[in-house]
Amino acid sequence: MRYAALLCLLAAPAGAQSFSLPQGCDAFLTVQSRSCTVGHHFVCEGDPEGLQRRAVLGEDGLEFVGAIDAETQWIESHFMTSGHSERLEEAPRDPASFTELLETGEDTYDFRTISPEIGETRYVGRDGLTGVTETIDGVTLQQTEYSIVVYGPGGEEEWRASGNEWISTDFRMFLSGTSTITTPDDEWESDESPVEFIFPGEPGFLSSNPKYDCGAMMSKLEIAK
């Protein structure tokens, strides 16, 4: 995201009930999820066709801002709690492809992101459709099973995860689900499944307040897809 626009997001007053987008941006969807997060999906003037952005808030405010393209590649990611950002390399070895996932039922990927703060990170994994569908608030979701291994700048494994996520073909996006996350020192379960889909004009659209599983102590690994 343009740096000035990111500053606008960060400047939102603490405790505000409604989330404010940068000028020139329009939101089209709010998703309330488990693990005490609420995400707002939006598009901005001047962005390439197919690019969509997402801002995620937790109990303490803004946690993540990122952008994906029409193939759901992670174009850019900004992590507020760690203070680092990542951008997709120019020519990934095996780009993520939403189209391939829909056409064949499976997609593999192998790409790197570049960060001024932490250097290169390599992501290697696969997504596959399970055949399970679910409808929430009129939005039809298809379940995926996934696995991913993440390597640090020196080639060392930093973490890995596997589990089930969801995709929306209408919005061309992934939504988090249930995962098992493993680091060299720890392993834990995560459930960030969507609970509500809220559209413009509906109560709770652009709310700054997550609703589900809040108040619990949870370990979170900064994963955004």
Side-chain angles (χ1 to χ4, degrees):
M1 173 174 285
R2 295 178 295 272
Y3 185 64
L6 181 59
L7 287 181
C8 289
L9 288 173
L10 291 171
Q17 297 301 302
S18 181
F19 185 69
S20 297
L21 296 174
Q23 186 173 0
C25 299
D26 292 305
F28 59 89
L29 179 65
T30 290
V31 182
Q32 287 278 1
S33 301
R34 299 205 174 277
S35 293
C36 196
T37 59
V38 57
H40 305 300
H41 299 263
F42 58 102
V43 294
C44 297
E45 293 177 357
D47 282 342
E49 184 176 356
L51 192 83
Q52 56 177 290
R53 302 184 181 275
R54 176 170 62 108
V56 178
L57 293 88
E59 279 186 288
D60 297 324
L62 189 65
E63 295 182 347
F64 170 82
V65 180
I68 60 171
D69 66 7
E71 293 297 340
T72 66
Q73 294 188 99
W74 304 348
I75 301 301
E76 60 180 80
S77 303
H78 303 270
F79 300 94
M80 308 313 166
T81 53
S82 65
H84 85 276
S85 61
E86 301 179 7
R87 291 191 64 87
L88 182 65
E89 64 181 335
E90 290 188 6
R93 179 180 303 178
D94 180 8
S97 174
F98 197 74
T99 299
E100 183 172 344
L101 176 62
L102 295 181
E103 291 180 349
T104 69
E106 183 176 8
D107 178 50
T108 61
Y109 52 84
D110 183 348
F111 63 86
R112 288 178 170 82
T113 59
I114 313 301
S115 168
E117 296 83 14
I118 64 174
E120 291 188 0
T121 303
R122 183 184 177 193
Y123 299 87
V124 182
R126 67 171 293 277
D127 297 300
L129 296 177
T130 67
V132 175
T133 63
E134 184 173 335
T135 300
I136 301 175
D137 294 330
V139 178
T140 299
L141 304 175
Q142 297 183 52
Q143 188 188 60
T144 71
E145 56 182 6
Y146 84 95
S147 60
I148 184 172
V149 182
V150 180
Y151 302 93
E156 72 284 359
E157 181 177 321
E158 292 192 337
W159 56 269
R160 63 174 58 217
S162 62
N164 298 104
E165 295 183 317
W166 301 94
I167 61 167
S168 164
T169 56
D170 291 336
F171 295 115
R172 290 189 75 86
M173 68 172 64
F174 278 80
L175 295 127
S176 294
T178 55
S179 301
T180 300
I181 303 161
T182 305
T183 71
D185 303 315
D186 199 4
E187 180 175 287
W188 68 93
E189 306 293 321
S190 172
D191 184 357
E192 299 183 17
S193 303
V195 180
E196 293 183 50
F197 289 85
I198 306 166
F199 297 93
E202 295 181 345
F205 182 69
L206 285 181
S207 170
S208 293
N209 301 312
K211 294 172 59 175
Y212 298 95
D213 302 332
C214 296
M217 295 298 293
M218 293 173 289
S219 296
K220 287 187 180 180
L221 187 65
E222 290 177 317
I223 303 175
K225 183 175 181 180

